[in-house]
Amino acid sequence: MLSRRIIPCLDVRDGQVVKGVRFRDHVVMGAIEELAARYRDEGADELVFYDIAASPQGRTVDCGWVERVARILDIPFCVAGGIRSVADARAVLHAGADKISVNSPALRRPELITELANAFGRQCVVVGIDSLRDADGHWRVRRDTGDVAATTALPLRTLDWIVQAQRLGAGEIVLNCMGSDGVRGGFDIEQLRAARALCEVPLIASGGAGNAGHFIDVFMQADVDGALAASVFHDGSLRIPDLKRALRGQGIEVRDEL
Amino acid sequence: MRCDVREPTMNVVLVDSGGANIGSVRYALQRLGVDAPLTSDGDVIRRAERVILPGVGAAAAAMARLRELDLVDLLRTLDRPLLGICLGMQLLFEASAEGDVACLGRLPGRVEKLCAAPGIRIPHMGWNRLHTCRASRLLDGIAEGAMAYFVHSYAAPVDVATVASCAHGAVFSAIAQGDGVAGAQFHPERSGRVGQRLLANFLRLA
C-alpha cells in the first residue's frame, strides 16, 4: 500500500533556508545542505525547496545549490521558484531535482503546465497553489506570495484552478492554505477536503502543521497523499520519527523508520 | 555516514536515453564509489562491465531516441549485466501500451497502464512496499516489505521475470530479472538505503 508522505518544506532565499509567519517576516533557519541532510537522516520521505524570492524578483532558481543537494540526497526532492519555461525546468531537472513546481508563472501563462508535461512527463510537474478564503466564502488564489509587496489576489477560484491545472497536465497539486500557514493551528481540513474531491492526482496539504495530531487529522479527514510543513520541523518541536510513530499508531501507512 | 556500501572501481556507464534527471542516478553511483559516465556511444557501452539504462518520460519517445542513436540492436544483444530503471525497466520488455510501441524484448511481457480507482491515484507517486516473489541476489540485504520510491503510470505485470512485486490497485513487477538483465520500476537513486542496496547488488552480479 502506498504510504502517506511527510515532506519538510525549505523556503530558500539568498542561499539560505528561511521561514516566515503567514508568508511574512522571514528569519534564517540555516544552510540549505545542512538542513537537507538532517531531514534525510530523520526519515523525511521527500523534500521541497521553494526559492521564494525568485518569482517576485523575476529570476529563475539558482542551479548551483540544486546540484549540491542532489548529490547528498537519496530521497526525492522538488524545486520551485521562478520556473517560467521548459528551458528553466530542464536546467533544474538536469541539476538533479526530481520534480519542478510551478506557481505564479503558471497563473500568468497556464499553458506552461502543458509544455512542461509534454517535455518531461506529468509526473515531474507539480502545481503549487497559494490559496486564501475571501470575505464571500470562496477560496481564491494568490500570486507572488514570496514578496508581500508583490502579492496579488486573483479572481480565480482555487477549486477551479485545481481542475484546470490537472486538465493542463499537472501530476501533483500542493495546496498552500495561507490562512493557516505558520500559525500551527492545524491544516485547513475543510479546504483540503474540497480540493481532494476534485483532485485525481496526488494532493499535498500545506500550511498549519503544529503537532502530530494535525497530521493524523489531515490524512484521516482529508485523505491527502502527503503533508508538507516547515517551522514545526525546523525548530525541532516535532521530530519526524516521533511523528511517524504517532501516525503508525493510528493505522496510517508511513515509510518505516530507518 | 549512510553511504557505507563501497564498490571497487568498475567500468559502469549510464545510457543517455534523453531523460532529464539522469544526474541523480550518477550521484547515487558516486555515493557507492563508482563514477559512471553518461554516454550514447555504442563502443563505450560495449566496453563497459555494467550498463544502466535510466529513463523518465514516455516509452515511444525513448525508443525513438534509442533508435536514433542506433542503440536498439546493441541493447537487445548486450551480454553484460544491464539494469533498467523506471522507464528503462519498461523498455526491457517486449512492448509497452504507452504509445503502443515495440521495446527491447529482453524480458517477456507487455507493459500496461496502471488503472485509477477510488483511493488509487495515477501517477503512482510515493513510497510503497516491495514483496519478494523469488530468491535473487538483487534482494540481498533488502527485507520483505521494504519501501522504495515510485513515480510512474505504466508497469509490467507480474510474470516469470518478477523478483519482487508491488501493489497499487493492481499488483505489478517492481524488480525483474532474466536473460542477463535486471529492472527496477522504482527509483533506486531516490529510495534511501533500499535503493542503494539494489544498485550495489546489481554491480555485484556475476
Side-chain angles (χ1 to χ4, degrees):
Chain A
M1 187 182 166
L2 188 59
S3 64
R4 309 282 176 169
R5 283 177 269 156
I6 302 300
I7 308 171
C9 173
L10 294 80
D11 286 349
V12 171
R13 191 170 66 184
D14 304 326
Q16 288 181 303
V17 177
V18 299
K19 183 57 198 167
V21 174
R22 285 203 178 94
F23 287 46
R24 308 181 60 137
D25 305 325
H26 294 92
V27 293
V28 173
M29 305 299 297
I32 298 171
E33 291 133 282
E34 185 187 310
L35 278 160
R38 190 185 111 194
Y39 290 127
R40 173 199 68 192
D41 293 341
E42 286 184 356
D45 298 310
E46 185 171 330
L47 297 179
V48 175
F49 299 88
Y50 277 92
D51 189 333
I52 58 167
S55 249
Q57 292 175 3
R59 59 170 176 79
T60 192
V61 70
D62 166 18
C63 285
W65 64 260
V66 177
E67 187 181 327
R68 292 196 300 276
V69 165
R71 286 179 185 277
I72 60 171
L73 281 188
D74 58 7
I75 57 173
F77 72 102
C78 177
V79 172
I83 293 167
R84 278 177 293 270
S85 67
V86 167
D88 292 342
R90 181 173 286 119
V92 171
L93 292 168
H94 272 288
D98 299 277
K99 303 186 231 181
I100 41 99
S101 181
V102 290
N103 187 329
S104 301
L107 289 167
R108 287 199 170 82
R109 209 169 61 79
E111 59 272 29
L112 173 64
I113 298 170
T114 309
E115 292 166 13
L116 294 170
N118 288 341
F120 309 113
R122 69 188 297 156
Q123 77 287 339
C124 286
V125 182
V126 180
V127 173
I129 303 175
D130 295 322
S131 174
L132 197 59
R133 185 168 230 161
D134 286 325
D136 64 359
H138 288 291
W139 295 292
R140 289 196 182 81
V141 300
R142 296 292 185 273
R143 195 180 61 203
D144 298 327
T145 58
D147 178 341
V148 177
T151 298
T152 310
L154 299 187
L156 179 60
R157 290 198 310 172
T158 302
L159 297 178
D160 293 339
W161 181 228
I162 288 172
V163 171
Q164 193 188 346
Q166 290 176 88
R167 202 167 55 229
L168 290 167
E172 182 164 277
I173 302 282
V174 175
L175 184 57
N176 306 310
C177 303
M178 293 175 68
S180 48
D181 184 72
V183 293
R184 306 195 185 194
F187 291 95
D188 186 341
I189 302 289
E190 185 189 355
Q191 184 173 184
L192 288 159
R193 281 176 68 106
R196 174 79 284 171
L198 297 169
C199 193
E200 293 166 3
V201 297
L203 174 67
I204 309 300
S206 168
N211 57 50
H214 294 151
F215 286 86
I216 292 169
D217 291 344
V218 79
F219 288 129
M220 295 187 79
Q221 295 174 32
D223 188 28
V224 294
D225 298 273
L228 182 150
S231 47
V232 71
F233 294 137
H234 292 337
D235 71 7
S237 62
L238 181 59
R239 291 186 59 255
I240 291 170
D242 297 333
L243 169 58
K244 288 195 167 181
R245 205 168 301 121
L247 292 169
R248 209 174 284 116
Q250 294 296 313
I252 296 166
E253 177 93 329
V254 286
R255 181 164 72 115
D256 301 332
E257 285 163 60
L258 302 174
Chain B
M1 187 69 186
R2 60 185 339 209
C3 308
D4 48 2
V5 190
R6 289 278 157 187
E7 287 301 311
T9 303
M10 189 181 235
N11 181 356
V12 182
V13 299
L14 287 164
V15 178
D16 184 1
S17 53
N21 58 357
I22 293 171
S24 55
V25 179
R26 188 168 189 198
Y27 301 147
L29 292 164
Q30 283 172 354
R31 292 193 291 267
L32 288 168
V34 173
D35 189 28
L38 194 60
T39 184
S40 54
D41 182 330
D43 292 331
V44 174
I45 294 169
R46 253 182 234 103
R47 280 198 301 271
E49 294 167 84
R50 297 287 182 278
V51 177
I52 296 178
L53 178 63
V56 166
M63 283 305 296
R65 167 137 174 109
L66 292 179
R67 207 167 296 117
E68 203 175 287
L69 296 168
D70 200 20
L71 294 177
V72 171
D73 285 342
L74 189 162
L75 293 173
R76 278 188 172 137
T77 56
L78 190 74
D79 61 356
R80 300 295 161 82
L82 167 66
L83 173 67
I85 294 175
C86 195
L87 175 64
M89 167 180 174
Q90 296 174 14
L91 298 181
L92 297 175
F93 288 85
E94 291 167 275
S96 173
E98 188 182 21
D100 193 24
V101 67
C103 297
L104 296 170
R106 299 290 302 262
L107 294 172
R110 177 185 160 93
V111 171
E112 301 289 351
K113 192 168 190 353
L114 294 171
C115 292
I120 302 296
R121 289 175 276 268
I122 308 297
H124 175 216
M125 193 186 290
W127 295 82
N128 205 335
R129 292 191 189 280
L130 304 174
H131 298 292
T132 303
C133 293
R134 63 181 171 88
S136 166
R137 294 287 309 279
L138 288 172
L139 292 176
D140 284 356
I142 298 175
E144 161 62 26
M147 283 193 176
Y149 183 75
F150 292 85
V151 183
H152 61 121
S153 300
Y154 289 77
V158 171
D159 202 342
V160 288
T162 306
V163 167
S165 68
C166 178
H168 184 62
V171 178
F172 64 88
S173 200
I175 301 175
Q177 190 178 17
D179 179 34
V181 304
Q185 180 57 67
F186 56 93
H187 285 273
E189 74 278 14
R190 288 288 182 254
S191 292
R193 289 178 181 168
V194 170
Q196 186 175 46
R197 199 60 209 245
L198 187 278
L199 288 174
N201 290 344
F202 168 72
L203 296 182
R204 288 201 190 102
L205 285 181

